[in-house]
Amino acid sequence: MSESLESNDLKIVLRYLLVEINRYRDWPIKILTFTSALHFAIIGAFLLKEVTITPLARIAITIFIGILWIWTIVLFCHCHLNYLRSRNIQSSIQRKIGLNNIKINDEPLFPSEWFKYTCVSLCNRWIGWGFYAFYATGLAGFSVAVIWGWIKFTTT
């Protein structure tokens, strides 16, 4: 295979890889949007309307929130790990194409960090997905506390 053909193929793959990377960046935000709306609806219903439900219904809603919370965290982890894997592939392709060698006035055009291999781990770059997990945990906990009446809205 000729070098230019290989380079063109890699550029095509890179284009689709960037779409995939953006998907892994967007999914946590989409998930949080959905779960936030659900949690705020539950919180609002229980705080503002003084909803009265049976203990069995409270247990069922709590279990639902627990399952949703676990599923949310698992999806965050999945997206984060796949994002890191995809970024490693992206940086390998960019090095192969030679983007790391482009210079203007003898200065590299792109930061060298863009081309480094990243360890694929939940501990690596955790601050992004960790914030989402913290937020989701807070909402789930607050929702459960409101459902069980541990937090009440009172007007004096």
Side-chain angles (χ1 to χ4, degrees), residues 62-133:
T62 301
I63 290 170
F64 171 77
I65 289 173
I67 291 169
L68 181 64
W69 174 76
I70 291 168
W71 202 339
T72 300
I73 301 301
V74 167
L75 283 170
F76 291 162
C77 294
H78 171 78
C79 286
H80 179 68
L81 294 173
N82 282 329
Y83 167 76
L84 293 176
R85 287 183 192 106
S86 297
R87 276 290 295 127
N88 282 336
I89 294 168
Q90 178 190 20
S91 65
S92 295
I93 292 172
Q94 289 172 331
R95 280 192 310 274
K96 178 73 173 168
I97 293 172
L99 294 181
N100 57 323
N101 297 322
I102 298 175
K103 293 183 179 183
I104 296 179
N105 297 328
D106 291 327
E107 293 291 323
L109 182 60
F110 302 109
S112 62
E113 296 84 38
W114 286 14
F115 306 103
K116 290 183 180 175
Y117 177 80
T118 301
C119 176
V120 178
S121 164
L122 290 176
C123 297
N124 191 18
R125 298 181 182 177
W126 65 271
I127 199 158
W129 81 267
F131 170 77
Y132 296 144

